[in-house]
Amino acid sequence: LQNQNRRIYAAKPYDSIAVISGKVGYENQSKFAAAFKKMTSMSPSEYQNSKIELEVRQATSSILSCLSL
């Protein structure tokens, strides 16, 4: 798959890195992680965590906006 697709799969926080690597055609999880890090400058788990943190911040901001109405 395209590099962009690897990012999309990695953005799903409920999928393990082993599952993601298999989905994009890597039999070896370590090789997938190395290729992903070379492409994005982040490990797959760092990328997932950054996506989760962003979602939490956005949700918190929305909740706070609703409460201040």
Side-chain angles (χ1 to χ4, degrees), residues 27-61:
E27 292 181 19
N28 185 311
Q29 179 181 339
S30 297
K31 288 184 180 182
F32 167 74
F36 190 92
K37 187 163 186 162
K38 185 176 182 181
M39 179 186 68
T40 65
S41 301
M42 285 190 264
S43 71
S45 55
E46 288 171 329
Y47 187 83
Q48 282 180 320
N49 290 338
S50 70
K51 288 294 191 186
I52 292 168
E53 288 174 21
L54 178 61
E55 289 176 12
V56 168
R57 276 186 264 141
Q58 290 172 339
T60 301
S61 178

